[in-house]
Amino acid sequence: MKVLIMGGSGFIGSHLVKHLSDGNKDVTVFDVQKPNQNVEFQSGSILDASLGDKIKDIDADKIVNLAAIKKVSSQNYYEAFNINSLATVKLFEICRDLEMPLVHLSSTAIYGTFVYEPADENHPINPVSLYGLSKFLAEKIGREIIGDTNVPLTILRPTISYGPMGDDVVTLFVKKALSNETITLVDNGIYRRDFLFVSDLIHAINLAIDEEVPGIFNVGTGNGVTIFEMSKVIQKIIPNSKIVNVVGNGKEVHQGAIDITKIRNELNFEPRYSLEQGINETIKFYSGAGKPFLHL
Ligand SMILES: NC(=O)c1ccc[n+]([C@@H]2O[C@H](COP(=O)([O-])OP(=O)(O)OC[C@H]3O[C@@H](n4cnc5c(N)ncnc54)[C@H](O)[C@@H]3O)[C@@H](O)[C@H]2O)c1
């Protein structure tokens, strides 16, 4: 089976490329930046006018879409909405026309502040961030475009994913603790998140590729943990970690545990890493004792 990974040179893409290649799948990465490993690579942007022809030429069996700008601000929102929303919708159209199964990564950022917990896939959509809004537009329009066809569209909504090569709050704190820098908690770290180790997310994407079950699926652990508690897990493993508190700007979003019943039931997904285990693997990687790519 040949899998085309759009945006496959980033954090999640790097882990996915490794695992799909190890699993004897042919992989092609399409990205504006080069992958960090030896894999078939097509340089390009999902904004390219000839995207449809390029995808046709690659002749894959399935597409996984990871291409996105994660940091969306007043400085780059035009470009970010073009990529995360409009070009992504174009990709949905291409998949519909080529009858190409697609696994698309959305995000739990689309829920905004949780109004109940654990948040399931029917939780109200109320993105607080521009990023969340851009991700929601893509999946909403994408479902309109593909929903009535026979093309399998699997939308995954992962929570915050962390691990080797990540750029999230857990990985940032691990790197700070290892380099003896102070970990800064905003508002005493009261904000709760469902932290997902990257191997577990790769496991979920693998299942989505293999099972081809259309629908929308949360991906997480089902456990809500405060950022303070997460930092204490790091401190338990690296006892000399320094943690300080600062007052925030009131813009942090209150979330928490997500409900993973649907992906458990329909894709047989089960998270395999506790927060302690995932943090331990991340620490091993950054202290030079671990492998960058972890076995599922
Ligand atoms: N990392 C997380 O915690 C997380 C959580 C939920 C959802 N997601 C989603 O998963 C996907 C991958 O996330 P990631 O953490 O690997 O992000 P990343 O920023 O590490 O990787 C994104 C990749 O997309 C590529 N890209 C950007 N613009 C492009 C364009 N115009 N054409 C082609 N490629 C382009 C980038 O070069 C990069 O390689 C994203 O869609 C993100 O929204 C990530």
Side-chain angles (χ1 to χ4, degrees):
M1 183 201 295
K2 184 167 179 178
V3 181
L4 169 59
I5 309 177
M6 314 299 291
S9 300
F11 165 47
I12 295 167
S14 303
H15 289 277
L16 186 62
V17 164
K18 173 77 171 112
H19 285 296
L20 295 183
S21 306
D22 285 356
N24 289 327
K25 290 188 171 84
D26 282 341
V27 179
T28 300
V29 166
F30 182 98
D31 202 306
V32 286
Q33 60 170 338
K34 268 184 155 176
N36 60 4
Q37 55 203 306
N38 195 11
V39 60
E40 204 175 309
F41 173 56
Q42 164 94 55
S43 175
S45 166
I46 64 165
L47 295 166
D48 290 348
S50 56
L51 185 66
D53 291 337
K54 288 184 174 170
I55 289 178
K56 219 191 248 173
D57 288 347
I58 293 169
D59 195 24
D61 300 297
K62 297 188 182 188
I63 295 184
V64 177
N65 182 35
L66 306 175
I69 304 276
K70 287 190 297 188
K71 290 192 169 51
V72 188
S73 69
S74 55
Q75 304 302 307
N76 70 347
Y77 60 84
Y78 192 82
E79 184 200 11
F81 275 78
N82 261 336
I83 293 169
N84 296 2
S85 309
L86 296 177
T88 301
V89 166
K90 181 76 194 159
L91 178 67
F92 284 127
E93 285 175 358
I94 293 166
C95 289
R96 176 198 60 196
D97 296 346
L98 295 176
E99 298 186 350
M100 175 89 76
L102 173 65
V103 177
H104 168 72
L105 261 72
S106 181
S107 168
T108 49
I110 70 170
Y111 299 132
T113 297
F114 286 2
V115 293
Y116 63 81
E117 236 187 282
D120 60 13
E121 290 82 356
N122 296 318
H123 185 281
I125 305 293
N126 188 18
V128 174
S129 62
L130 290 175
Y131 166 71
L133 180 60
S134 72
K135 296 295 285 186
F136 178 61
L137 285 177
E139 70 160 81
K140 173 78 180 158
I141 304 173
R143 272 153 47 206
E144 295 284 329
I145 291 171
I146 297 194
D148 291 336
T149 70
N150 290 326
V151 177
L153 168 63
T154 308
I155 293 178
L156 300 179
R157 291 177 180 163
T159 54
I160 296 183
S161 185
Y162 68 95
M165 299 175 289
D167 55 3
D168 56 280
V169 62
V170 183
T171 310
L172 175 78
F173 282 10
V174 163
K175 290 201 268 188
K176 280 188 181 283
L178 285 172
S179 57
N180 223 10
E181 286 175 57
T182 303
I183 291 172
T184 306
L185 297 180
V186 174
D187 297 334
N188 298 314
I190 55 167
Y191 304 101
R192 296 172 63 246
R193 299 288 182 262
D194 186 328
F195 297 107
L196 177 66
F197 188 53
V198 64
S199 271
D200 281 329
L201 175 53
I202 299 304
H203 176 46
I205 300 173
N206 264 328
L207 288 169
I209 294 169
D210 288 343
E211 302 300 320
E212 227 174 73
V213 179
I216 299 175
F217 300 93
N218 282 342
V219 194
T221 67
N223 298 313
V225 173
T226 65
I227 293 179
F228 170 74
E229 288 163 341
M230 178 272 285
S231 68
K232 284 292 177 188
V233 173
I234 297 174
Q235 200 176 44
K236 200 172 143 199
I237 308 172
I238 308 171
N240 60 352
S241 311
K242 295 186 291 288
I243 301 175
V244 298
N245 289 299
V246 294
V247 177
N249 57 10
K251 287 188 178 169
E252 290 288 333
V253 181
H254 289 272
Q255 291 200 329
I258 60 150
D259 191 322
I260 55 170
T261 308
K262 191 174 175 205
I263 192 165
R264 265 199 175 117
N265 291 344
E266 294 186 31
L267 289 179
N268 252 327
F269 170 76
E270 198 56 51
R272 297 167 181 180
Y273 286 82
S274 66
L275 184 61
E276 288 78 358
Q277 288 168 325
I279 286 179
N280 219 355
E281 292 296 335
T282 310
I283 289 173
K284 275 201 291 191
F285 170 74
Y286 283 106
S287 53
K291 292 186 186 137
F293 300 111
L294 304 133
H295 292 290
L296 295 179

